[in-house]
Structures are given as C-alpha cells and as structure tokens.
Amino acid sequence: MRTVTVEKQPLRTGVLMPARDLVVAWGLIVVIAVLAWVITAGQARDMGIEPGTMGMALPAFLLLWLAMMAAMMLPSVAPVAVTWARGIGRQSTGWARALRTTEFLGGYLVVWTAFGLLAYGGLALTGDLVDRDPDAGKWIGVAAFALAGLYQLGPLKYVCLRHCRSPMAQLMRYAAWRAPARDLRVGAHHGAFCVGCCWALMVVLVPLGVMNVAAMAAIAVVVFLEKLWRRGPQLARVTGVGFLVLAVLAPFQDWLLPGLTPSGMPM
C-alpha cells in the first residue's frame, strides 16, 4: 500500500476566512500589541539595561512582563486568535465577538504572566550572583545561551512548535468545550503550548538584558517566523546553533552580556 506523507503547513487565515469578517478581531490585536510596544519601549528608555530585576517589586515586574509578552507574542498568536474569533463568530457578533476574543487573549497572556514568576525568580538569583561576583556574569551568560541553544535543538521544542504552526485540529477540539470561561480556557491551553515552544528564547534576555528593546524585537521576529514561515522549523535549528556559538563566545566578549554587567562597569 502506498503511503502519502502530508507536510503540515502554518496557519493561513487569509485562505480560511474573508478578511471583512475579521476586522474587529485583527484591529483589537493590533491595538493591544502597539500599545504594549509603546509601554515597553518607554519603560526601557527610563530604566536602561541592568542585571537582575532592576529593583522592581514582583507586582511591578509582572505588569511590565505582561506588557512585554503582549508586545512580543501577540503578532505570532494573532492568526490563531483570529481563526478562533471566526469560529465563535457564528455564535456571536460585534462587541460580543470582541469580548470573547479579548477573553481568549487574556487566557493566553495569563499563562505567560505565570511564566513571569519564574523569570522574576531567575533574574533575582542571577542579579544577586552578579552583585556578589561580577565575573559570575560570564558563566551565567554561557549557561543561558547554552540552555536556549540545546532546547531549540531538542524534541520538546518541535512538539510545541508543531502545535503552534498547525493548531486547527486542536481548535476543532476546543469547539466541544463548554462554558464557563471557555474562551479563557482555550487561550490558556494554547498559551501553554506557546510557552513550551518559546520559553528558551526568553532565557537569552538574561544575558542580553530584560529591557533590551533591540533584543526583544529580534526575538519577536524569530517567534513570528518560526510559527508562520514555511521554513520555521529550520530557522529554530539555526537559532539554536547560533545560541550555542554565543555560549562559546560569552566568556570572552563582554558586549554579549549587557544584562549581566553591573552598573558603572565598562562592557
């Protein structure tokens, strides 16, 4: 019997639905993402790049982290959110659809905010280590780049990436879920796969600087291409190799570690 292999392709919302039915959903996502980038860039300009949590208490950090994740991740999750909005549009219209789309995005961002708790703990630990011994920053940078590189090349990355690139089967399963808070739960479930796919990319912000806007923008582009470009899996592997190269260079190139250089020390 002849076997036919079908390659999964990233979600193409333009083929699945007419754009005129999705203006509200797309507009909502674009507005949130733009506002998040404005807030993030403004805070980065005021705070600069420093090791650790930059003196922020946990609530303030989580609010800033939420804005960062909205800025970086919403462009890549937009096709899934819009596809879900199209599905729920058969049951609701206008403001009701916008509200349900917002609930989906809220569930998605709640998961990334929960990951922010781990990020805060990791930053507090690395900041404390760098304060005690500035030379420790080099080895923290090596560990961060190596961890990100190895995960990018590992199997779990591609299990999660495959879901993010081809979520239609999962969205059909979601359709059977019932209230209450179905849209919130759907967003959180998809967000969990997204965290599994992209958490290692966030780890490199430890050496590069949490408030490094250029690094955030570069990671956002990588996330977007990994999920939506047809060569996204190959890009993930290339990125993984690149991080391993940076891990080798980190002990000798201080400019790779602005997020682990104490204030007042030359980079």
Side-chain angles (χ1 to χ4, degrees):
M1 182 176 179
R2 186 179 178 183
T3 302
V4 178
T5 302
V6 179
E7 181 181 358
K8 290 186 177 181
Q9 297 294 330
L11 185 61
R12 293 181 176 86
T13 57
V15 175
L16 296 172
M17 63 201 72
R20 62 180 178 274
D21 293 340
L22 302 167
V23 172
V24 173
W26 274 110
L28 178 66
I29 294 168
V30 169
V31 168
I32 294 174
V34 169
L35 287 176
W37 273 113
V38 170
I39 293 171
T40 302
Q43 288 296 316
R45 184 176 60 252
D46 295 337
M47 298 174 64
I49 301 175
E50 295 183 7
T53 61
M54 296 160 289
M56 285 189 290
L58 179 59
F61 176 86
L62 289 180
L63 286 174
L64 181 57
W65 180 264
L66 175 61
M68 289 170 55
M69 293 304 102
M72 296 171 66
M73 305 306 297
L74 287 190
S76 64
V77 80
V80 179
V82 167
T83 302
W84 180 249
R86 175 57 176 166
I88 65 178
R90 298 174 182 175
Q91 306 170 27
S92 55
T93 58
W95 288 109
R97 182 189 302 180
L99 179 61
R100 297 186 67 184
T101 304
T102 303
E103 193 173 348
F104 174 93
L105 296 176
Y108 177 85
L109 291 174
V110 162
V111 176
W112 272 109
T113 303
F115 179 76
L117 293 171
L118 296 177
Y120 185 84
L123 288 168
L125 176 62
T126 57
D128 184 58
L129 291 174
V130 171
D131 287 341
R132 294 181 183 182
D133 181 8
D135 287 337
K138 296 180 179 181
W139 307 111
I140 295 172
V142 170
F145 285 128
L147 176 62
L150 291 174
Y151 188 81
Q152 286 286 105
L153 298 172
L156 185 56
K157 164 75 178 189
Y158 294 93
V159 171
C160 297
L161 181 59
R162 188 161 55 245
H163 170 94
C164 292
R165 287 173 57 83
S166 303
M168 288 306 301
Q170 194 65 38
L171 290 180
M172 292 175 65
R173 176 187 171 191
Y174 293 152
W177 289 12
R178 295 184 178 180
R182 181 180 67 164
D183 303 310
L184 185 71
R185 290 162 52 212
V186 170
H189 193 270
H190 183 71
F193 277 100
C194 190
V195 170
C197 178
C198 302
W199 70 267
L201 294 172
M202 303 305 166
V203 168
V204 301
L205 289 176
V206 173
L208 296 178
V210 174
M211 298 309 297
N212 187 332
V213 175
M216 283 189 276
I219 291 172
V221 170
V222 170
V223 170
F224 184 86
L225 292 176
E226 280 186 357
K227 293 183 178 181
L228 300 177
W229 187 32
R230 65 186 181 91
R231 298 192 181 276
Q234 291 90 334
L235 175 63
R237 294 184 177 90
V238 170
T239 304
V241 173
F243 287 153
L244 293 179
V245 172
L246 294 180
V248 174
L249 296 176
F252 314 103
Q253 302 293 330
D254 290 343
W255 63 272
L256 289 173
L257 309 172
L260 294 170
T261 304
S263 300
M265 288 187 62
M267 292 201 317

